[in-house]
Amino acid sequence: MMQEHEDPKFEQWLKGTAKSYHTPHPTPREEMWKRIEDARRNKHVIELRPWMRWAVAAAAVLILGIGIGRWTAHQPVAMVAAADSTAPAQSDLAYQVAATQYLSHTEAFLTSFRTDIGSHGAANSARFAGQARDLLSTTRLMLDSPAAKDQRLRSLLEDLELVLVQISQLDPSHDGHDTDLITQGMNQSNVLPKLRSAIPAGPVPVRTEGAL
Amino acid sequence: MDESQLIARVRAGDSAAERALYNAHVDRVYRLAFRLAGDDALAQDFTQETFIRAFDRLGSFRGDAAFSTWLHTITTTVVLNGLRKVKRFRQREADLGDAHDIGTAPRHAEPDLKARLKQAIDDLPEGYRTVFVMHDVEGYTHEEIGVALGVETGTSKAQLSRARAKLRVALSDFAGEWVQ
């Protein structure tokens, strides 16, 4: 039985007309396949392994416990000793979590940059340049941190540093050539697929949901 | 070679089989990603991410449903999560920013029917828009949509009906186009 709001003529017309909605380009098979291969080749590297996710969760509980303990403690000396004994593990995990947050944020920024840079003029360039400078500071801190002991993460951070330097120096009066060069460079170095491969697909706390 | 044999070869590490599986499905994945994202760069990103995940997780594909159904479940997850992430990022920047609104299309009178239709589809709630694009634009069945989005078939039908109703209201100025 036809419902009150159904209108076969409209639906027929709509189906025909809506084919023009976001009409796809021809599939760029080769380009995408190359990036998929490269990303998969680089995949094993800097993601948090499953056991590390548990370790992060355990560390979070431990840190919370220590926090509560410190807050309620009547014996501060003993508590400090306990905290010191767990400090190196917490520190490594903290760097891993910070790295994941940073990578997620940078991925969203570069995705947005590539999509939006051409469409909003000089104000947009200035905004992206400012954001890139902020991320660049974090990138350099990450490069100097123990997280960069991992050679592949270090290599990714160096690629990101280069891209962010270029974006941070964007001239608001640019004619589009600079941004084309930046996006071409991003595509050639596969920086976004590498970045995505480095972000673990784990449970919410590990993926740092809400960091963006 | 049928698809189940191809999948078995991919699981065994055959890179030629990976490419063959990719070739067999990439067009439909990319089309859906493009229709939902409306942007070539994003569509490429989402397509790549879909295949990377699919190859990584092929071990968990049990063959209960068609491979294409399983793949489109990954596609919709990747695309919708990706679009939410981009939207959140743009929204946050817009909130932080000054009067320049980034990523929100200017709303102004648009006399062109296709542009109005595009805007009306863009303005649909995410669930309605996804079902509408998959069914009316890309030709997926309600069963395929239900599996891909993890909803009942009836929910897919109801969302499509509501999406069409909203579009009819949004396009009422153009009623002469279909009432003939």
Side-chain angles (χ1 to χ4, degrees):
Chain A
M1 193 172 112
M2 194 165 75
Q3 292 180 33
E4 191 184 336
H5 55 266
E6 288 183 351
D7 179 344
K9 278 188 175 174
F10 171 71
E11 287 166 14
Q12 190 178 9
W13 171 86
L14 183 61
K15 269 192 171 181
T17 312
K19 300 294 181 204
S20 66
Y21 178 71
H22 293 168
T23 309
H25 299 176
T27 311
R29 287 185 172 205
E30 296 305 322
E31 297 95 311
M32 289 195 295
W33 178 249
K34 184 176 179 308
R35 289 189 211 118
I36 290 167
E37 281 190 311
D38 288 350
R40 295 190 71 217
R41 205 174 293 129
N42 290 308
K43 177 125 181 95
H44 325 288
V45 272
I46 32 191
E47 63 182 337
L48 294 180
R49 303 285 189 271
W51 68 266
M52 290 183 76
R53 293 178 194 149
W54 286 107
V56 170
V61 171
L62 193 59
I63 291 166
L64 184 65
I66 290 170
I68 293 170
R70 281 187 170 164
W71 188 52
T72 57
H74 297 293
Q75 295 178 321
V77 174
M79 194 56 70
V80 167
D84 285 348
S85 68
T86 56
Q90 286 168 24
S91 170
D92 285 352
L93 289 166
Y95 280 122
Q96 290 283 356
V97 172
T100 305
Q101 283 185 333
Y102 159 79
L103 294 173
S104 296
H105 194 163
T106 309
E107 183 230 335
F109 170 74
L110 292 180
T111 301
S112 182
F113 171 79
R114 206 172 58 172
T115 309
D116 295 341
I117 186 62
S119 58
H120 293 84
N124 210 25
S125 297
R127 184 188 302 274
F128 277 119
Q131 291 167 358
R133 278 191 288 277
D134 292 342
L135 280 171
L136 191 57
S137 306
T138 312
T139 307
R140 287 174 173 156
L141 285 172
M142 295 290 297
L143 276 165
D144 292 335
S145 80
K149 283 178 193 164
D150 180 313
Q151 279 308 310
R152 299 202 194 195
L153 178 57
R154 181 168 198 87
S155 163
L156 176 60
L157 289 169
E158 286 169 351
D159 284 350
L160 291 172
E161 184 185 26
L162 184 62
V163 173
L164 292 169
V165 164
Q166 290 173 313
I167 298 174
S168 69
Q169 292 174 351
L170 262 184
D171 178 356
S173 62
H174 71 97
D175 60 2
H177 183 63
D178 291 348
T179 52
D180 288 347
L181 286 176
I182 295 171
T183 49
Q184 276 173 25
M186 283 167 63
N187 290 339
Q188 281 163 6
S189 63
N190 267 329
V191 73
L192 266 172
K194 284 180 196 168
L195 192 50
R196 293 198 178 100
S197 299
I199 299 169
V204 167
V206 178
R207 295 184 65 205
T208 66
E209 192 74 27
L212 295 175
Chain B
M1 185 187 308
D2 70 18
E3 197 160 78
S4 60
Q5 291 172 313
L6 199 57
I7 290 168
R9 283 178 53 183
V10 174
R11 282 177 170 155
D14 181 340
S15 56
E18 278 186 357
R19 179 62 201 253
L21 200 59
Y22 168 84
N23 282 346
H25 294 278
V26 66
D27 288 339
R28 207 158 179 227
V29 169
Y30 174 75
R31 282 181 66 85
L32 180 58
F34 197 108
R35 293 281 196 189
L36 289 171
D39 177 271
D40 185 45
L42 282 178
Q44 289 193 35
D45 287 348
F46 295 151
T47 304
Q48 289 158 208
E49 182 68 20
T50 296
F51 279 97
I52 290 168
R53 285 197 196 184
F55 288 137
D56 285 352
R57 297 175 188 179
L58 200 57
S60 68
F61 173 63
R62 297 194 307 272
D64 298 339
F67 177 76
S68 60
T69 305
W70 183 76
L71 189 63
H72 290 124
T73 304
I74 298 176
T75 309
T76 51
T77 303
V78 167
V79 173
L80 296 179
N81 284 343
L83 289 177
R84 281 180 206 134
K85 199 188 276 188
V86 170
K87 189 176 170 186
R88 267 206 309 271
F89 184 85
R90 290 173 178 171
Q91 185 58 51
R92 194 181 65 169
E93 296 311 322
D95 290 345
L96 290 173
D98 50 22
H100 306 290
D101 60 342
I102 181 171
T104 52
R107 301 292 299 270
H108 53 79
E110 173 52 76
D112 178 64
L113 170 60
K114 284 186 178 173
R116 273 279 295 275
L117 174 62
K118 178 187 179 305
Q119 189 62 56
I121 297 172
D122 285 345
D123 287 346
L124 288 172
E126 180 187 274
Y128 294 5
R129 189 176 81 96
T130 306
V131 171
F132 174 76
V133 168
M134 291 183 80
H135 188 278
D136 276 9
V137 182
E138 278 298 301
Y140 287 74
T141 65
H142 284 297
E143 287 72 23
E144 288 175 315
I145 296 168
V147 173
L149 300 180
V151 299
E152 297 294 327
T153 303
T155 305
S156 171
K157 288 179 181 171
Q159 291 198 327
L160 178 63
S161 178
R162 289 178 199 138
R164 286 172 173 167
K166 278 184 172 287
L167 292 175
R168 192 171 58 165
V169 171
L171 299 169
S172 56
D173 294 353
F174 295 93
E177 295 284 335
W178 64 86
V179 180
Q180 288 174 8

